[in-house]
Amino acid sequence: MSRRPYVREVPRTTWFFKHPRYMRYMAREVTCIFIGIYTVILLVGLARLSEGPAQYEGFLEALRQPGSVLFHLLALAFSLYNTFTWFNVAPKALPVQVGDEHWPDSVVSGGHYVVWVGLSLFIRFWAGVL
Amino acid sequence: MAKSNKPIIWGTFAAGGTLTAFVTPVLMVLTLLAATGHLPEMLGYDKLHAFAAGWFGKLVIFVILFLSLWSQAHRLRCTFYDFGARADTLVAITVYALAGVGSIATLVYLARL
Amino acid sequence: MTENRMGTRQVELEVLRYNPETDQEPKFQRFTVPCVNEWCVLDALNYLKDNLDSTLSYRWSCHMQVCGSCGMMINGEPKLACKAMLRDYAGVIRVEPLSHFPIERDLVSVADDFMAKLKRVKPYLIPGEKRTLADGEYKQTPAQLERYKKYAMCINCMLCYAACPEYGLTPKFIGPAAISLAHRYNQDSRDGGRDERQEEIATSEGVWECTFVGACSDVCPKHVDPASALQQVKVASTVDWYLEHFMSWVKK
């Protein structure tokens, strides 16, 4: 009797269709495309700000294009998904043990959400939006 | 096998991922308001310029842009691999170079304010 | 699927068969197995082997979620066949050997790669402080035990490897269970072997191949949560790196 193990190759470009949890993972990973493009938009805004009022006004004008509004809506959805996935797994990377017990994951995650809501409200308030 | 130097990038990924999770959504809301014609007071030229010209404003802007750039660049590298692009070294050099250029540009623009 | 008042039902099992002596590639074979509702998939396989086809090969031993040998894909999900209850399944149940491992025969997968990796990470106590018998036992407080307890529950069933897409795409990845076990000993107050293990797991084949998909923790039958172990290893290795390169005068 001879051994002849059969190897099943994982398809490199389509493996994530195999299971919903892989699709959720890829959805999380592609948030970087939207957050990355958004960061570049912020960088361009900073550049225009440094160039003077007229240039900065031009940047705000460009922001008001329909394509920009659409991008913002999409990017916001992906960004929120990134936030939720990040907070939900935060207790795995940073578990908190006090005495003989670990804090429940829900407490660590919940703490992140509370800080997030507070910080977001603060930044809105700071920006003059109520 | 030698220990990896990944931590230098992963450090910025972990810090940047945390930062973008906390602040990117609300920043998007602010620029979305600007995009729909409801410009938040703080995003007007005079107020924003005054904020960005101060050392605290400069620091905040630099930290946000620097960590966002490097964390998203790193995740983009992993995403390329997951989609089947195996030229990992080329992808890594490209995305990290972009993040590096963006970081230097941020410093230059901040210095000009 | 038909169910009668005696609590029995006919279960359609679709089993991936592979005979290395005669088959070019694996193929599915359908069996109708008379089962009792309270059986698990392993019971159905045992009935099948005893009564319908004695050539079926699969591994099992304890039938109680301790030995970790009956791991297989059940409807596409890595499961222990002894923990997958028939009452939770309707329709045809598809049974395959664990993903990402070569198939030895039928439902038996080749575990050599995992066994070699397990050995590399030194998953045993390397005492930090040498004690003689006369010195007495190594004592540990409940708080010290709590630091690693959940990672000590691993039964080496390899379900996490079958779930991990990064292991499937990059087979040299040391993988979830082995790194979690390294972490288990690193976290142990009696252990002093962390530096030796870091040489294996703080490498590009080690923890840095992980992208935190989290599938390993979803499928772990013993709630070990390997994903948490790997993220903690990343955090600790990153702290190490910064200390070694920027603050080498700080004693770790």
Side-chain angles (χ1 to χ4, degrees):
Chain A
M1 217 163 53
S2 63
R3 288 184 68 181
R4 196 163 57 85
Y6 184 85
V7 176
R8 297 159 293 174
E9 292 288 339
V10 175
R12 276 186 194 183
T13 53
T14 55
W15 60 271
F16 45 88
F17 292 115
K18 209 179 152 195
H19 200 291
R21 76 163 65 88
Y22 297 161
M23 292 294 281
R24 290 196 293 275
Y25 161 74
M26 290 303 261
R28 184 190 84 188
E29 294 303 279
V30 298
T31 61
C32 73
I33 297 171
F34 294 91
I35 299 174
I37 293 174
Y38 182 73
T39 307
V40 172
I41 292 175
L42 291 183
L43 185 59
V44 171
L46 176 67
R48 298 293 168 262
L49 185 72
S50 74
E51 286 161 2
Q55 285 79 356
Y56 186 67
E57 203 46 56
F59 170 71
L60 291 179
E61 183 63 43
L63 270 191
R64 287 194 287 270
Q65 285 169 10
S68 154
V69 177
L70 184 68
F71 171 77
H72 267 84
L73 290 171
L74 259 178
L76 182 59
F78 276 95
S79 177
L80 285 170
Y81 189 66
N82 174 55
T83 298
F84 298 151
T85 53
W86 195 274
F87 291 169
N88 292 347
V89 299
K92 292 190 192 292
L94 299 166
V96 181
Q97 185 183 342
V98 177
D100 296 352
E101 305 277 349
H102 274 100
W103 283 1
D105 287 0
S106 56
V107 172
V108 180
S109 289
H112 279 76
Y113 280 101
V114 169
V115 172
W116 176 56
V117 170
L119 186 66
S120 299
L121 288 175
F122 171 79
I123 293 175
R124 280 183 64 130
F125 177 75
W126 168 85
V129 182
L130 289 173
Chain B
M1 167 160 286
K3 284 191 200 175
S4 170
N5 286 320
K6 266 281 187 56
I8 192 167
I9 301 291
W10 194 80
T12 64
F13 168 74
T18 306
L19 182 98
T20 55
F22 275 107
V23 306
T24 306
V26 68
L27 292 181
M28 284 179 177
V29 168
L30 295 180
T31 52
L32 178 62
L33 285 170
T36 51
H38 309 83
L39 186 70
E41 215 181 301
M42 200 59 208
L43 294 193
Y45 178 80
D46 293 334
K47 286 212 161 187
L48 192 60
H49 190 275
F51 171 73
W55 68 267
F56 179 71
K58 281 190 165 72
L59 183 70
V60 170
I61 292 170
F62 180 73
V63 168
I64 290 178
L65 288 180
F66 176 82
L67 288 180
S68 298
L69 283 168
W70 283 92
S71 61
Q72 303 313 305
H74 180 65
R75 186 170 260 182
L76 188 59
R77 174 190 177 184
C78 299
T79 305
F80 264 100
Y81 189 84
D82 287 334
F83 275 111
R86 289 297 171 94
D88 185 53
T89 309
L90 179 68
V91 171
I93 291 172
T94 309
V95 295
Y96 295 148
L98 287 173
V101 168
S103 308
I104 293 167
T106 304
L107 283 175
V108 170
Y109 297 137
L110 285 173
R112 284 189 192 156
L113 280 163
Chain C
M1 182 185 83
T2 54
E3 199 170 330
N4 69 24
R5 279 168 301 180
M6 302 296 286
T8 61
R9 77 184 223 216
Q10 301 290 316
V11 171
E12 295 286 318
L13 281 188
E14 205 166 61
V15 182
L16 194 67
R17 302 296 305 269
Y18 172 65
N19 180 345
E21 287 150 53
T22 57
D23 298 344
Q24 280 314 301
E25 56 181 23
K27 53 185 181 296
F28 282 103
Q29 188 178 358
R30 182 79 76 98
F31 297 94
T32 303
V33 185
C35 295
V36 176
N37 258 331
E38 295 310 307
W39 278 4
C40 55
V41 172
L42 179 59
D43 293 319
L45 290 174
N46 285 343
Y47 183 94
L48 197 172
K49 186 172 173 76
D50 290 346
N51 300 283
L52 305 174
D53 185 345
S54 62
T55 65
L56 181 71
S57 295
Y58 54 100
R59 289 195 184 105
W60 72 286
S61 175
C62 78
H63 196 284
M64 50 190 278
Q65 304 151 40
V66 173
C67 76
S69 45
C70 68
M72 50 189 79
M73 307 300 288
I74 299 176
N75 284 353
E77 191 77 2
K79 293 266 185 193
L80 296 179
C82 66
K83 203 186 177 186
M85 305 308 291
L86 291 178
R87 60 172 176 266
D88 296 330
Y89 294 87
V92 181
I93 303 175
R94 181 173 270 218
V95 184
E96 302 161 77
L98 286 178
S99 291
H100 305 153
F101 292 97
I103 305 174
E104 186 79 60
R105 175 186 290 260
D106 294 341
L107 299 172
V108 176
S109 44
V110 181
D112 302 1
D113 180 56
F114 172 64
M115 293 306 163
K117 284 168 177 167
L118 197 56
K119 204 171 158 188
R120 272 169 65 188
V121 303
K122 307 188 179 182
Y124 40 81
L125 266 186
I126 300 171
E129 167 209 2
K130 299 282 178 219
R131 290 169 77 89
T132 62
L133 272 182
D135 295 331
E137 59 274 69
Y138 291 91
K139 286 185 178 165
Q140 198 163 52
T141 66
Q144 288 168 331
L145 171 66
E146 173 68 16
R147 289 190 72 206
Y148 67 83
K149 200 166 107 191
K150 87 174 160 179
Y151 306 120
M153 305 310 281
C154 178
I155 56 173
N156 301 344
C157 67
M158 310 191 295
L159 296 196
C160 51
Y161 286 77
C164 176
E166 299 303 329
Y167 176 64
L169 293 166
T170 315
K172 66 179 168 57
F173 176 32
I174 294 175
I179 296 175
S180 299
L181 280 165
H183 185 61
R184 173 251 175 275
Y185 288 97
N186 288 346
Q187 292 284 86
D188 193 315
S189 57
R190 301 162 295 183
D191 186 85
R194 180 166 181 271
D195 288 348
E196 291 173 48
R197 296 189 195 97
Q198 284 295 97
E199 293 297 323
E200 293 293 337
I201 66 174
T203 64
S204 59
E205 291 182 7
V207 73
W208 298 114
E209 203 60 64
C210 166
T211 55
F212 203 172
V213 179
C216 49
S217 296
D218 289 350
V219 304
C220 178
K222 306 303 279 187
H223 309 292
V224 169
D225 198 357
S228 72
L230 271 76
Q231 304 327 301
Q232 288 160 35
V233 170
K234 287 182 195 172
V235 172
S237 303
T238 300
V239 172
D240 281 356
W241 194 92
Y242 281 100
L243 286 178
E244 279 167 23
H245 288 81
F246 297 128
M247 283 177 268
S248 47
W249 65 87
V250 179
K251 198 163 176 286
K252 270 197 291 173

